[in-house]
């Protein structure tokens, strides 16, 4: 039976989110891929304001496509998370609570997940249309010139994920 969880409650429920748990996520997440991560890291290093608050936030490694008529978003499946590993420890150190993507993470990211009490969820790859059916709304937040890789705020409703790496170091990729 999956756990129903609002993204704002991830921090309060971190201890029960064990590797292998199925979760239905609802609430806001921010999309960000490689180029957006590079810009976020530069803003943090410069001491400049971010386009959204990292504290308690969830980032979904996705580049949603434009919406078809009557839908808030086109395809929005997960992208390979390892491409963001260079930037992830810095984001976690600044309050990021959770990430959603696909694939394993580097040892440095796993150590940072443990150190900062965060969680890494995996979503089903290759099912972007299915993922899009769980998106209630989309708002562009920053870096519009990046097109589908701009940062967007998605409002999720019962988005299916699996806890892949938990805050204690439980890791589905190491089983």
């Amino acid at each position: 039976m999956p756990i129903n969880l609002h993204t704002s409650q991830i921090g309060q429920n971190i201890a029960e989110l064990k590797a292998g748990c199925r979760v239905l996520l609802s609430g806001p997440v921010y999309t960000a891929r490689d180029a957006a991560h590079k810009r976020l890291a530069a803003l943090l290093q410069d001491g400049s304001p971010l386009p959204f608050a990292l504290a308690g936030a969830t980032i979904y490694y996705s580049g949603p496509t434009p919406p078809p008529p009557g839908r808030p978003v086109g395809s929005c499946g997960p992208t390979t998370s390892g491409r963001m590993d260079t930037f992830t420890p810095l984001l976690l150190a600044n309050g990021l609570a959770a990430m959603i993507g696909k694939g394993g993470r580097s040892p440095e990211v796993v150590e940072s997940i443990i150190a900062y009490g965060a969680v890494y969820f995996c979503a089903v790859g290759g099912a972007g249309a299915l993922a899009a059916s769980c998106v209630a709304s989309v708002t562009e937040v920053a870096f519009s010139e990046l097109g589908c890789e701009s940062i967007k705020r998605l409002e999720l409703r019962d988005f299916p994920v699996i806890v892949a790496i938990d805050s204690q170091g439980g890791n589905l990729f190491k089983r």
Side-chain angles (χ1 to χ4, degrees), residues 5 7-18 54-58 88-89 91-99 108-121 163 165-170:
L5 185 63
T7 55
S8 65
Q9 299 170 332
I10 290 172
Q12 298 126 305
N13 292 283
I14 203 77
E16 72 181 81
L17 298 175
K18 301 293 185 195
L54 275 178
T58 298
T88 301
L91 299 181
L92 290 168
N94 282 276
L96 183 65
M99 300 142 292
E108 295 79 19
V109 170
V110 174
E111 289 171 16
S112 293
I113 288 169
I114 296 165
Y116 297 107
V119 64
Y120 170 56
F121 298 106
V163 177
I165 303 171
D166 66 39
S167 63
Q168 276 77 54

Side-chain angles (χ1 to χ4, degrees), residues 13-39:
N13 292 283
I14 203 77
E16 72 181 81
L17 298 175
K18 301 293 185 195
C21 288
R22 293 181 299 136
V23 177
L24 294 176
L25 273 182
S26 295
V29 301
Y30 295 90
T31 64
R33 288 178 45 166
D34 316 49
H37 272 72
K38 185 175 182 178
R39 290 190 185 185

Side-chain angles (χ1 to χ4, degrees), residues 34-51:
D34 316 49
H37 272 72
K38 185 175 182 178
R39 290 190 185 185
L40 289 172
L43 290 170
L44 284 168
Q45 290 163 346
D46 291 343
S48 298
L50 297 178

Side-chain angles (χ1 to χ4, degrees), residues 20 25 47-48 59 73 75 80 83 92 104 109 111 118 124 137 142 159 165:
L25 273 182
S48 298
I59 290 181
V73 70
S75 180
T80 303
R83 296 195 336 245
L92 290 168
V109 170
E111 289 171 16
V124 177
S137 67
F159 187 80
I165 303 171

